[in-house]
């Protein structure tokens, strides 16, 4: 199995656990004289099986991410950490540019109000955000390529 397939299976398992949780909660109590909508105990047992499979997948994915090297990006784990930080950096720079540009201020200003000035260079921040967005896209493509090339470790 490829790493990308395991990631898709993990996503499906997480979604399945949430669906089962909701069904368990909906069937945990029922009115006297009525039958429950579903067997809550059976749903809990099914949830436990899905969670066991999920734990196994997560362990194998983490082992694989720590072992597979992506060239100068380091391991997949290193690349994921880099991508997460790039996303945070992009969000901060973008927010700073929007705030400095006055996006959250009223469009008009009355003559009696004080003039608001930007404390940051908006154009430079937007250019920096563009560079960061490109870096994120490029790194994400390398991660995705690796996910489809790397075999999942046991």
């Amino acid at each position: 199995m490829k790493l990308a397939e395991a990631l898709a299976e993990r996503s499906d398992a997480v979604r399945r656990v949430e669906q089962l949780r909701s069904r368990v909660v909906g069937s945990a109590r029922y009115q006297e004289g009525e039958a429950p909508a579903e067997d809550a105990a059976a749903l809990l047992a099914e949830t436990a099986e899905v969670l066991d499979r999920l734990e196994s997948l997560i362990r194998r994915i983490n082992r694989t991410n720590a072992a597979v090297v992506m060239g100068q990006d380091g391991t997949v784990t290193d690349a994921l950490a880099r991508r997460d930080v790039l996303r945070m950096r992009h969000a901060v720079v973008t927010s700073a540019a929007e705030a400095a540009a006055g996006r959250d201020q009223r469009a008009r200003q009355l003559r009696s109000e004080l003039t608001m000035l930007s404390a940051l260079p908006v154009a430079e921040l937007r250019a920096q955000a563009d560079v960061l967005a490109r870096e994120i896209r490029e790194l994400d493509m390398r991660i995705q390529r690796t996910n489809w090339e790397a075999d999942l470790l046991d």
Side-chain angles (χ1 to χ4, degrees), residues 23-68:
R23 289 169 58 194
V24 166
V25 168
S27 299
R29 292 177 56 95
Y30 62 96
Q31 190 172 356
E32 184 179 13
E34 298 285 326
E38 295 183 84
D39 182 352
L43 290 171
L44 275 175
E46 185 179 347
T47 304
E49 290 173 15
V50 174
L51 286 168
D52 289 344
R53 175 70 181 144
L54 178 60
E55 181 180 354
S56 173
L57 274 171
I58 291 170
R59 287 172 182 263
R60 292 178 68 196
I61 289 167
N62 288 346
R63 269 195 298 277
T64 304
N65 285 346
V68 172

Side-chain angles (χ1 to χ4, degrees), residues 86-98 120 125 129 132:
L86 282 171
R87 285 178 177 166
M88 286 183 228
R89 193 178 308 272
H90 180 265
V92 168
V93 169
T94 301
S95 295
E98 294 300 312
L120 298 168
L125 289 171
L132 288 167

